[in-house]
Amino acid sequence: MNVLGIIYTINAFLPLIRKGTVKKVLTLSSGQGDLDFALKVGIANAGPYSVSKAAVNMVMIKYAVRFKGEGIVFLTISPGWVNTLQGPRESRLPLSTTAQLTGCAGR
């Protein structure tokens, strides 16, 4: 889903993106999909998730190269640590900080 869902969605919206004035496509990735980061930090868990996020990064690079001449920009960002129950308790941001960051994203 992380990979094919993105490919199908981009392909479905590509005709509209080509006709539009804002030619940008953004996807969310993860530090777990970054080869250098995962090796440096020593992330040993979440193998399938990490592999799918690394694939998403490559998919976006291929789209960026393919459509650069048409002025379409493809971006992949990693939001950093997100306050969820999946991570270690000591690494979680307080909800007040999360709310502040969410407010900044809307600006």
Side-chain angles (χ1 to χ4, degrees), residues 19-42:
K19 292 177 185 177
T21 56
V22 178
K23 297 177 184 251
K24 295 180 183 174
V25 178
L26 175 71
T27 60
L28 292 178
S29 188
S30 168
Q32 292 202 33
D34 181 306
L35 302 176
D36 293 330
F37 178 78
L39 185 59
K40 180 179 178 181
V41 175

Side-chain angles (χ1 to χ4, degrees), residues 21-82:
T21 56
V22 178
K23 297 177 184 251
K24 295 180 183 174
V25 178
L26 175 71
T27 60
L28 292 178
S29 188
S30 168
Q32 292 202 33
D34 181 306
L35 302 176
D36 293 330
F37 178 78
L39 185 59
K40 180 179 178 181
V41 175
I43 299 172
N45 63 340
Y49 177 78
S50 298
V51 169
S52 71
K53 288 301 186 176
V56 166
N57 293 341
M58 184 54 69
V59 164
M60 292 300 284
I61 288 169
K62 296 301 181 178
Y63 273 112
V65 171
R66 167 62 180 86
F67 293 102
K68 182 179 182 178
E70 294 184 39
I72 303 174
V73 177
F74 290 83
L75 304 166
T76 302
I77 63 168
S78 175
W81 184 258
V82 178

